[in-house]
Amino acid sequence: MTSDDGKATFWEHLDILRGAIVRTIALWSVFSIIAFVFKEQLFDFVLAPKSPDFVAYGVINGLCARFGVETLSDFHVELINTGLAQQFLIHLKTALCAGVVVVAPFALYQIFSFVSPALYSRERRYFKRVIVSSYLMFVIGVALSYYVIFPLTFRFLGTYQVAADVVNLISLESYMSTLIMMSLCMGILFELPVLAWLLAKMGFVSASLMSRYRKHAIVVILIVAAVITPTSDIFTLMLVSVPIWLLYEISALMVRRVQTNQQ
C-alpha cells in the first residue's frame, strides 16, 4: 500500500529493507560456507605471513640489498593450539570473516539502493562516491597490513626472546586475533581521506588547519608506526610510516580541493 501522494509507506520501506538484509545474509552464508569448505586454501592464505618465504620478506630483502641495508634473517615460528575446540572455532570464525569481505560490495550496493530514492541526484552522486571510496580505501589498508605490517610485526614479536632458554610458543588464537585486529585498524586508518573529505564538505576541517598541524601529525604518525611495528631498524619504520604520511597529505589535498570548489 502506498500513501495518497504516491510515495511508499513506512511499512513498504521496512519491507524493502528487510529484503535487502535477507539477500545480504543469504549471500554471506553462501560465501562463508564456500570458504569453510575450502579450508586448506583459506588457511594457506591466512597463515602465509608466518613463513620466511612470504612474498613481503623477499621484496623487503630486495629493497634492503639495493639500498645497502642489512637484509632480514630467516626465522621459524611454530603455531600451537591450546583448546579442544579452538581450531574448529577459529576455522568457523575465519570463514565468516572471509564471507564478510567477499559480500561487502554487495551489502554496500544494497545500502545505496535503499537510500538513493530519498536523495537528490547530487546527493546520490556524493553518497556513491563515499561508499565506493570507503570500501576501496579499507581494502588497501587491509592489504597493506597483511602484506607488510603484520608480517614484520609477527616476525619481530614471534622471534623475540628475553633469554635463549625461553622458547616462544605462539597460539593460533593469538596469531589470528592479532592479524584481524591489525587489519581492521589499518583498514579504518585508511578511511582518513574519505573522512577528511566529508568533514571538509561540512566545514569542520580546512586546508590551513591541516597545514598548521602537519608537523604534529608527522610526530604522531612516527609514534603510531613505531607502536604498530616494534622493530629496531629505521627502514621498517619508514616502510610503515611513509604510507600513513601519504594518507595525511592526500587528505590535505582533498580538503583543499573541496574548499576550492566551494568558493
Side-chain angles (χ1 to χ4, degrees), residues 125-188:
R125 188 166 59 251
Y126 285 151
F127 190 71
K128 185 187 297 185
R129 288 179 185 175
V130 169
I131 287 181
V132 174
S133 56
S134 296
Y135 179 74
L136 289 178
M137 294 302 294
F138 186 84
V139 170
I140 293 173
V142 171
L144 180 66
S145 175
Y146 174 80
Y147 283 105
V148 179
I149 297 176
F150 175 76
L152 294 174
T153 303
F154 176 78
R155 177 185 175 277
F156 175 78
L157 296 179
T159 58
Y160 185 85
Q161 292 177 281
V162 296
D165 57 346
V166 180
V167 181
N168 287 329
L169 295 176
I170 311 300
S171 69
L172 178 61
E173 182 183 10
S174 175
Y175 176 94
M176 291 300 302
S177 61
T178 305
L179 174 61
I180 293 173
M181 180 199 66
M182 294 189 70
S183 299
L184 184 61
C185 289
M186 286 305 299
I188 294 174

Side-chain angles (χ1 to χ4, degrees), residues 28 34 60 65 87 95 97 148 155 158 162 168 178 232 241 249 260:
W28 172 47
I34 293 173
I60 293 171
Q87 291 203 56
C97 289
V148 179
R155 177 185 175 277
V162 296
N168 287 329
T178 305
S232 56
S241 58
E249 295 300 330
T260 302

